Structures are given as C-alpha cells and as structure tokens.
Amino acid sequence: SSSPRGGEACVPWSRFSAWLECVCVVTFDLELGQAIELIYPHDVKLTEKEKTSICYLSFPDSYSGCLGDTQFSFRLRQSVGRVSGSWFGEEDKYNRDAPLILQKELAHFYGYVYFRQVKDVSVKRGYFQKSLVLVSRLPYVQLFQSLLQIIAPEYFEKLEPCLEAVCNEIDQWPPPVPGQTLNLPVMGVVMQARIPSKDDKPGGSPTRQGQKESVLIHLQMLWELMLLGEPLVVMAPSPTISSETVLALVSSICPLRYCCDFRPYFTIHDSEFKEYTTRTQAPPNVILGVTNPFFIKTFQCWPHVLRLGEVKMSGDLPKQVKVKKLAKLKTLDTKPGIYTAYKTFLHKDKALIKRLLKGIQRKRPSEVQSAILRRHLLELTQSFIIPLERYLASLMPLQRSVTPWKTPPQIRPFSQDEFMATLDHAGPQLTSMLKGDWMGLYKRFFRSPNFDGWYRLRHREMTQKVECLHLEAVCDSDLLTWTKDKSEVEIVDLVLKLREKLMRARKHHLPVKEELVEKLENYIQIVISSLPEDLQTVLHKH
C-alpha cells in the first residue's frame, strides 16, 4: 500500500523491507576471519550460506591493497527454498511498473558495501577493518552508494546506536513507487530520488552506471558479447572498478534485459565458485568481476577475458587497443586489454571512438563522456531491437478477428526465417549507419538466453493484449439477447466462463478499464437472476 497510514504501517519493519532486506556490519576477527558483527533488523532471516557469502563478498581481496575507504557492489544467489514475502509474487506491483533493468530481484540479493581499512595501533594486526553493507533486492546502485556515503562514516565513529537510528528512519520512508519523486530523510539530510518507471523515455535515469575509459576501444565487441550472453571475466585492480564495470556492461544493452547471471564482484570463497570454474563443461553464460590474480589460471579456458589496468592518465589508452589472443593470458602481470578469439559481426564505429579519445585528451568530464557513450549504445540496441518488435507486432491477430462468442485467436508462432526475410526492407539499416553482418548477429542472438527472455516477456504481454481485446468485445456485446434462446446448461457455462475471465483479468492485472469490468459483473448478475432459484443459489455460492 502506498498510503502512509495503511495497515502495513503496523507490521514491524514493513516500510524498511520495501527498500532493504537488512543492514550488516562485517568485521575482521583474528580467530574467525571475516565475521558478521551485527545485523539489522535483528530478526532478519538469512541462511548460514547467505551470511558466509556476505562475509566474504564484503571485504576486498588482500591483493587490492585498499587503504582508506572503498565502495563497491556485489550480487549473490539466494538460498534455495527461501520463502519470499507475499509482495514478491510474480504480480508484484512495483515490478509491473518499473523498467526491466530496475526490477526487484526474486532470486538474488544485491550488496552495497562501504569498507574502511585504516591504521589502528589498538588492534592486534594494526588495522581497523570493517564493512557496512546494505542488502537489498533493488538494483539502485547510485542511491544506495550515496546513502552509504552519508551513514557509513558516522557509523564508524559512533557505532551501534547510530545504525539503529538510521534503520528506524528508513522504516519511515515512503515505498519506492515507479514514476514518483521521493524525499528520503536520513541523518539530517534529505535525499531526493526519482524512481524510474517503465514509461520513461529510454536512457533517462542512469541508475546503473560507471564506464571505464580503457574499455572504450572495445565498446562494439563488449556490446555484442553482452547482447549474446557470452561468458566473460572482468579482471580488475579493485572491487570498485570490477563492480562498476560489470554493472555498466549489463546495462549497456538497455532497454533489453540482460537475462544471464552476473557477479559484479566474485571471490574464490563464493558458493558458486566450483560450479562456475569447472573445466568439464563449457563456461556458463555469466559475467564475473574478479580482483584476485589467482583467477588468471582458473579462467584460462574461458572464451573472453577483459583485463583492466589501474586507471592511468589518458596517454596510455591507445596501447590497450589490440584484441589479444587467449594463449597470452598466462602470467600474473598480464597487460590490460581484451583476450578473445571473437570476431565482431558489426564494424567499429570509428567516428565515435575518435570523438571519445578526443574527449580524453581534452579532459572532457567523465559524465559527458558517459552520456555520449550511453546514447550511442541505446541507439545501437534500439536499431537492433526495432525490426524484432516490428515483426512481432505482425504476429498479433487482427482486432476484427476477436469476437465475443469464439475463443480468442492465437498469436502466430515466431519464425526465424520469416523474420530474416523482413530485414532487406525493414532491417537495422533504417536507423543505424553501422555496417556489418547484422544477419549473422541476429542468428547468434536467437540462440542466446537474452532472446529467450525477451521473447517470453513479449509473448506474455501479447497474450494479455489479446485477452483484453476479447474481454472488451464480450463487454460490448449484448449478452442478454444472446441468452434468450439458450438452454440453462449453456447459460450456466457462459456464467462460469465469464467469471473465470474476470478472475484472470484481476489476477494478472490486465489493463482493462474498470467500468468495463463493472459492466460485465452487472451482466453476470442479471443473467444469473434470470435462471431458476436452485441454479441461482448454486451460482451465488461459487
């Protein structure tokens, strides 16, 4: 409920849990290693496996040498059998209205980390090491990292009472409703956040962001690898660069949803480590962000490895242009670059690369570079997806073929050959200047999890659209005249069918006008009242 004083306000932590699952403090214990020191709310149900994962993912690898304060993100798989709250059902209102890439996760948690490591003589190892972690199902990277910048430094000074106060404040926040701009007060500061909606113009709100400039040269290739859901390892010098890069790659095919698994920061302690590094089968469709040099040996058999160097001054960039052979990925001092045998389907956009390199030389602000890049990727993805959407629309039955007394007509099946035949006159060349083997790219895309995810979602939306059209046709028809010369059996059958239609419309939140639904309910009541009393009683009971 979005009303501030609804029944939900009585449930402890209900407002809090619309934003966060919990807040954890992870510390380094000499006997135990990384350990959870504190969880809020205290009664939150995390499994032992989830707690262990959070512990390991909340500290940078010792190789990163992160002194001072470090912020990064991770994503972990929830334990099997976890019972989600009732509002995480498939029909969750938030997910219906949110853009695809900002939907609440049903099977994963995000972790947003603020890690502090400073010299401290009062501690045995000589260092204070602690992480404050926000665990959520929402992929609001910027919002939660900004929140951490406000609360973490205060917490490290004042400890537990401060954290409790913050959690109580978050428990007063209004819930995230797509399309609304919210004021979120915390520690005397009011954060303002606009919650993106699926009706926004694409490319509006960069909630997952961060693009390393050393990646620019390989932009076209990385976009194709993301589109096709190819296995990719990102080797970075720190968890910050690792998580920013993985999240930027995942959102590079927006507004398409990336349907494979991705881990912004992945460690050898991860419970999926064995599953993802087995050599007995092909690498899974997943992007892993890693910082431990040990992984170089582990991932030698992976088809694509992106090695990022320290962020150096702009002069070093052109040296990272070459695509290198995987065989060279042997030593720990491997040079930055992309290691793959992949040949791109589309040609490089030389003008864009020139423009971005010029921006680096002229020290153009990174937000501006980022915006140029995002617009280019958005236009590229839209050029790719528009022909598919256009073809899909042609599979819908004609509106005039939807009649009240017949089962709704079927949506025609998707035929790859038929689609390919449309590309000559209605392909990406209508909206994109890029040359290359677009046909080959589509063929490969059809075999990827991203096509499967896109098609299933679109097919469900089309099926619901046909349901709506049918329901509207039924509501506009003259039911009473139709029932005049029908037997009781036929009329009872009609009532049951109409009721089932209404239930489906409500359950799946079909976009049918409320007055149409009411009109149909009144019809049903009038039809029932025309039947003998014994039948009326039976129908009123059901």
Side-chain angles (χ1 to χ4, degrees), residues 229-495:
E230 284 284 313
L232 174 73
V233 177
V234 175
M235 292 188 175
S238 71
T240 311
I241 296 175
S242 155
S243 56
E244 278 184 359
T245 306
V246 169
L247 291 170
L249 287 171
V250 165
S251 58
S252 68
I253 60 167
C254 171
L256 257 186
R257 184 190 197 142
Y258 181 79
C259 296
C260 310
D261 196 2
F262 59 95
R263 301 304 168 91
Y265 176 51
F266 187 76
T267 76
I268 48 178
H269 302 289
D270 208 286
S271 53
E272 278 86 66
F273 177 73
K274 277 199 177 67
E275 176 189 333
Y276 283 166
T277 56
T278 169
R279 303 212 170 187
T280 52
Q281 59 206 56
N285 301 91
V286 56
I287 316 177
L288 301 178
V290 302
T291 59
N292 186 334
F294 161 81
F295 278 118
I296 286 190
K297 276 198 158 40
T298 317
F299 289 123
Q300 262 172 352
C301 56
W302 275 49
H304 323 287
V305 177
L306 176 65
R307 178 81 198 246
L308 300 173
E310 288 294 345
V311 184
K312 296 202 182 78
M313 286 321 293
S314 50
D316 292 351
L317 247 180
K319 290 181 194 147
Q320 302 178 10
V321 173
K322 273 178 78 173
V323 173
K324 303 178 177 73
K325 293 195 172 60
L326 276 162
K328 292 196 176 153
L329 189 74
K330 288 274 191 288
T331 54
L332 295 189
D333 57 354
T334 306
K335 302 226 169 0
I338 188 160
Y339 293 80
T340 178
Y342 181 82
K343 297 275 181 287
T344 55
F345 286 93
L346 305 182
H347 301 223
K348 264 197 187 114
D349 189 330
K350 290 194 175 121
L352 174 83
I353 292 174
K354 217 179 202 162
R355 191 179 169 196
L356 291 167
L357 284 174
K358 200 169 252 171
I360 294 170
Q361 282 156 5
R362 292 182 178 168
K363 306 214 174 353
R364 190 187 285 148
S366 63
E367 297 77 54
V368 181
Q369 293 276 81
S370 227
I372 294 170
L373 207 51
R374 269 207 317 278
R375 196 169 75 233
H376 168 77
L377 291 172
L378 179 64
E379 285 168 2
L380 189 55
T381 308
Q382 285 178 324
S383 293
F384 181 79
I385 216 75
I386 287 167
L388 283 162
E389 296 281 5
R390 194 182 286 125
Y391 170 67
L392 217 52
S394 74
L395 303 179
M396 276 287 277
L398 294 171
Q399 200 156 342
R400 64 167 180 270
S401 66
V402 181
T403 57
W405 313 119
K406 284 193 186 138
T407 308
Q410 293 290 302
I411 296 161
R412 286 196 306 122
F414 190 105
S415 153
Q416 293 181 17
D417 294 339
E418 203 175 72
F419 166 73
M420 290 299 199
T422 67
L423 292 178
D424 279 345
H425 61 277
Q429 72 278 8
L430 296 181
T431 50
S432 176
M433 306 291 287
L434 269 191
K435 300 276 182 281
D437 181 10
W438 285 93
M439 301 261 283
L441 188 59
Y442 281 115
K443 278 182 187 150
R444 187 89 172 255
F445 177 66
F446 289 143
R447 302 204 299 268
S448 81
N450 290 332
F451 168 71
D452 189 52
W454 171 82
Y455 179 67
R456 278 168 193 249
L457 179 75
R458 281 285 179 271
H459 194 270
R460 195 168 76 217
E461 288 171 353
M462 286 160 70
T463 308
Q464 291 186 347
K465 175 86 177 123
V466 172
E467 281 261 325
C468 280
L469 290 171
H470 192 239
L471 199 56
E472 282 168 14
V474 169
C475 292
D476 288 341
S477 64
D478 189 350
L479 284 175
L480 297 177
T481 308
W482 183 85
T483 55
K484 287 230 164 69
D485 56 348
K486 298 290 180 288
S487 68
E488 283 174 10
V489 173
E490 286 172 299
I491 295 173
V492 169
D493 187 49
L494 172 75
V495 167

Side-chain angles (χ1 to χ4, degrees), residues 22 65-66 94 123 220 264 279-280 338 365 460 478 500 524:
C22 60
C66 300
Y94 169 84
V123 183
Q220 198 73 46
R279 303 212 170 187
T280 52
I338 188 160
R460 195 168 76 217
D478 189 350
E500 191 196 346
I524 293 173

Side-chain angles (χ1 to χ4, degrees), residues 33-225:
Q34 276 120 274
I36 290 186
E37 184 181 299
L38 195 62
I39 298 189
Y40 262 100
H42 292 311
D43 59 351
V44 75
K45 303 274 187 290
L46 287 177
T47 65
E48 285 312 308
K49 195 174 175 185
E50 287 164 348
K51 284 182 189 167
T52 307
S53 293
I54 289 169
C55 279
Y56 283 121
L57 289 166
S58 300
F59 269 43
D61 268 318
S62 51
Y63 305 96
S64 306
C66 300
L67 262 181
D69 291 358
T70 305
Q71 285 186 258
F72 58 94
S73 317
F74 63 79
R75 182 170 173 268
L76 74 122
R77 194 184 285 175
Q78 290 174 23
S79 295
V80 180
R82 155 179 285 283
V83 180
S84 299
S86 59
W87 47 285
F88 296 129
E90 260 195 324
E91 307 302 340
D92 178 15
K93 182 161 174 29
Y94 169 84
N95 275 4
R96 279 204 316 278
D97 300 333
L100 284 176
I101 69 162
L102 292 179
Q103 289 185 342
K104 236 174 234 160
E105 289 268 3
L106 299 175
H108 292 83
F109 287 131
Y110 285 92
Y112 303 100
V113 183
Y114 193 108
F115 170 72
R116 175 170 287 184
Q117 174 165 285
V118 286
K119 279 201 157 73
D120 182 351
V121 287
S122 67
V123 183
K124 250 190 189 166
R125 296 179 81 202
Y127 284 102
F128 168 95
Q129 291 174 303
K130 253 191 205 344
S131 279
L132 182 61
V133 189
L134 305 178
V135 179
S136 175
R137 295 169 192 268
L138 291 165
Y140 291 173
V141 183
Q142 280 183 324
L143 178 75
F144 288 132
Q145 291 294 7
S146 306
L147 176 61
L148 279 169
Q149 282 166 13
I150 299 168
I151 63 177
E154 284 284 314
Y155 167 73
F156 291 134
E157 299 296 320
K158 299 180 182 149
L159 302 180
E160 192 168 346
C162 153
L163 202 55
E164 190 170 4
V166 165
C167 291
N168 284 319
E169 280 191 287
I170 294 172
D171 198 32
Q172 302 302 311
W173 286 3
V177 176
Q180 288 192 5
T181 298
L182 305 176
N183 289 327
L184 309 171
V186 64
M187 286 192 158
V189 180
V190 177
M191 295 172 68
Q192 197 171 61
R194 184 185 180 278
I195 308 299
S197 149
K198 72 171 193 296
D199 301 327
D200 293 348
K201 208 166 90 247
S205 171
T207 316
R208 280 185 184 156
Q209 216 188 350
Q211 190 91 39
K212 291 289 138 284
E213 296 190 322
S214 58
V215 175
L216 298 183
I217 314 295
H218 308 301
L219 188 66
Q220 198 73 46
M221 178 180 280
L222 290 166
W223 176 82
E224 286 190 20
L225 294 178

